[in-house]
Every structure is written in structure tokens, then in C-alpha cells.
Amino acid sequence: MLRPVANKFRIRTSLLTMLVSLILVLATALLLVSYIAGQKIAEDLGGRYLEKTRDVVSKELDGFFLPVMTVLKSARVWAREGVVEPLDMEGSNAVYLPLLESYPQVTSIATGNEKGYSYRLGASKGNYKVRLTYAWKPGRPADFRIVTPAGELVKAYHEESQKFDPRLRPWYVGAKEHYEKAGSAAAADIFWTAPFILNTSKNPGIAAALPFEGPKNDVYMMTFNFMLTKLSNFTASLRPSPNGMALVLTEEGRVVGFPATEAYPTAEARLARIKELDNQMPHLDEVGQPVLAQARSLWGEIFAEQGTVRRRIDVDGEPWRTMFEPYQLADGPKLWIGVAVPEADFLAQVREQQRLILLVSALALLGALLLAMWLARTYSRPLRKLAVESRRITSLDLTPGEPIESHVLEAHELADAQENMRTALDSFARYIPTEVVQELLKRGEAAQLGGRALPVSLLFTDIRGFTTISEGMTPDELSTHLSEYFEAMLTIIGEEHGTVDKMIGDAIMAMWGAPVERDDHARL
């Protein structure tokens, strides 16, 4: 009996399922590996981008501030040794003009004393402007000189409106406090002001000031004013990645080194933004960068850590890697270096690889479907034919069927085995009528062991004088005659629905009424 076909699959279905599942598993594994690798790359590359940019900005700050600080301390020594006299304009110009030429980040140098005398030298339209003021003489106007970088006089004039008093300036007040605290000019540290708007150029700046003593023990305060516009020009030109940025901040989170931004791409635009903010340096959320606007909300947390801080910030679904690290000015305030880089900049190749994996997986899936269909056809077509032939043989239709051709070795072997089975059954059918076997199969008795008692009719027959006949023939002749005899006898027995029990020599034993019961077995 055939088994039920529940939970059985066709070869085509199973091949399609297995190949598609294999491709999906491989594609998923590749994507998972790619994602994990992408996250690892994000961590490694992101850190490298941030650290490399931080180092560049840190070196720029060193180059921006440290040499001038060294010169500032040297100027104190020069004053004490009489190399330069603060009241000597010509001598001061000779010393300080080369300094301004060598350090373009310094926009001006100024001195002042307790009487209110002040000397200032600053850049002015390719030349330099010298200003001398006398605060203790209210009626005396300020003296101005325009000189070339070589110190040659271009123009001299007075201005009544200039009422500048150095003693009121933050740099003077701070340097004086350091002097009083240290007890001498030589022991005093550099005083740094907070970022401010320079009085003359109206550009953002920061001042470094020191007290110094002349050879006659007269005390002066000196300041070097740094123009932070030049620092912003550097940070705004710095691109750690195609869309990354770097900036410099104060401890309050105000920007003194602008980042690269489309909102304020030029020095003029950045200066205009400062003026819009009432001459205040902008906060993080006031420079036109969404990622920095979000960092503003974290600034208190960042500042509290007082060390290198890394944060991953999402901007409209796009992740950014950020880093903030303090930069300590010697004897001065702490600045912060900030770097922000979108992950897309350094994960572009990884994401392209992921898209490529998806495309390859889709193509592989399509190829797997086509391959599975071809394989299923290659395997299933001969198997279907074998199944049809098997059903035909089961019903004892033993006529030769259509030849089964296949390049699959197993299918070819199975077809040969089936053909051998058909031939064997065809030979067996000579001894048992086909309809008897069909009836047995129909009733399921072919698979039963044991027996039962039935009335049957038996036939015993042999050839008269067979021994004498066989002695007069050769083996070949005898075989031919027996074949003809058995063919005739078995045909007649089969036509009358008899079953051959055995053949012994020339004898035949046949029966009727079993295994299929018949009422007319004796007549048959």
C-alpha cells in the first residue's frame, strides 16, 4: 500500500526553499558582519579623525600663542636692561615693529603707567599707527604717527576726541593685580583677558599682559593683543573630513575660533555675526551648525568633566562623532578644542559595501531561483516519469514504456532497476494470471503471510514418453521443444485463470480457486 503524502515536498519546492534559504542566510550573515565591521570602523576612524584634527588645532594654538608669550617675557627683560624705554617712541618702534611683522596674529602692542601715559603700536592699512595718550593731562590731545614697517614717518597728527586711559583697560587692571600679588614685575605671571572686541579694529581679540620695570624702577604694564579673526580663519578652513569641522571655545562655551559653516563662510560674515550679537562671541548654537546647537545643551556636562569628552550626537537621524578637549594657555585661561565629524564621511565606503552586498544578494537570490528551477526540472522530470512507470507496473501494465533519459546518474540507475523489475514481473506473469495478481494487490493479500483452507481444483500434467524423447534430442533441441510446449501450456492455463504452482522437468502443477476464490474453478 502507498503511504500518505502528508508533509511531503516536491523536489522543485525543496530545492527552491533550500537555495533561497541559503542565499538569505549568507546575505544576512554578510550584512551582519558588514554592520559590525562598520561600527568598528566608525569607532576607529572616528577616533582617528577627531584626534588628528585635535592635534592640528592644538599645534596651531601653540604656534598662535606660545612664540608671542616668549617675546612678551623677553620684552620685560629688555625694559629692565634699558634696551627699550617705554617713553621713547622711536626706540619702542624700532623694537616692536619687527615683532608685529613677524607675528601677524598680534594686532597691536601697548604700554601704560600709573600716570596714564600710554604707547600703542598697531597695524593700519599696510602701515602701522602709533598712538600716544596722556591721561594725566586732560587737555592734551592724543598724538598719532603713521609709519612704514621700516619705521619711516608717513604722517603725524593729533586728535582731540581720543580720551584713552590705559589704567581703565582690563589688561592693565589684570597685569597690575598680578604685579601687586607677586611683589615684583619679574615674578609676575602673564595675565590673560577674556575674549573681547578690540577698541580700534573692532575685531574679536584676546590680550596677554605683563608688568615690567624700567631701569629706573618705573613700573609699566604691557599688553600684546591677539586678533582672534586669524584664528577663525584657520579653524574655518580646517576640514577634518568632507563635512567635518573644528572650532575653539572659551570655558563659557563661546566660540573664538569659528568652524567651517555655510552660514558664515567668510571673515566678513563672521564679524557681522559678532556685531549682530552685540559684539559678543557666539555660543555653540549661534554659529549655524545643528550639531553644535545640540552640543550647546551638553556643554555644562562637557565642561564639568574637565578632560577629553567624546559624544555621539544625532542630527536629523545622521550620527556625528564629536570630541571636546581642554587647551590650557600657560599662565592663562583654559580654551577648548572642539571637533565634529559626521559618520557618513568616513563610513561612505562601508555603506557602499553594504549596498553592494544587498545588490549581490538580490542577484544571487534571483540566480538561485533560476538555478533551483533548472535543477528541479533536471531532477524532477525523470523522477516524475519513473513515478508514472512505477504506478503502471504496480497495476501490472508490463508493456515497455517510454525510455527515461537523464544526465543524473542516480536517476539513470533507478530507471535501469525499474526496467529490470518490469522484465522480471513480465516473466513472473507467465505463471500467474495478471488479473489474479491485480486482485491480490487490490485486496492487499500480497503482503500477508500464512494460509487458509479452500476447495480448489488441481491440474497435474506431463509429457508421455518424455524420457525416450529427450534421449533422442540434443540439449538445444530439447530446450526449444520444451519452450514451445510450456509456452502453449502456460498460455492455455492463463487463459482459463489458472495459477501455476510449480514446474518440475516436463511436469506442470496448476490450480484454480486460489488464491482468488472462484465458484467455477472445477469447470475452468
Side-chain angles (χ1 to χ4, degrees), residues 194-195 249-255 282-284 296 299 303 334 336:
L249 309 162
T250 66
E251 289 188 293
E252 295 77 22
R254 291 189 176 273
V255 178
H283 281 291
L284 283 166
R296 168 74 188 276
W299 183 248
F303 179 75
K334 181 185 294 182
W336 285 77

Side-chain angles (χ1 to χ4, degrees), residues 63-72 96-110 120-124 127-128 192 198 201 204-208 222-231:
F64 192 83
F65 289 111
L66 296 184
V68 180
M69 293 164 61
T70 301
V71 171
L72 179 58
Y96 298 138
L97 278 173
L99 292 181
L100 292 181
E101 282 288 296
S102 300
Y103 301 103
Q105 66 269 38
V106 180
T107 183
S108 62
I109 298 173
R120 178 189 180 278
L121 175 66
S124 176
N127 289 316
Y128 291 91
W192 289 89
L198 295 168
S201 66
I206 189 172
M222 171 180 280
T223 181
F224 282 17
N225 294 322
F226 293 83
M227 186 180 291
L228 293 177
T229 301
K230 297 184 183 298
L231 181 60

Side-chain angles (χ1 to χ4, degrees), residues 47 374 483 506:
W374 178 79
S483 295
D506 61 326

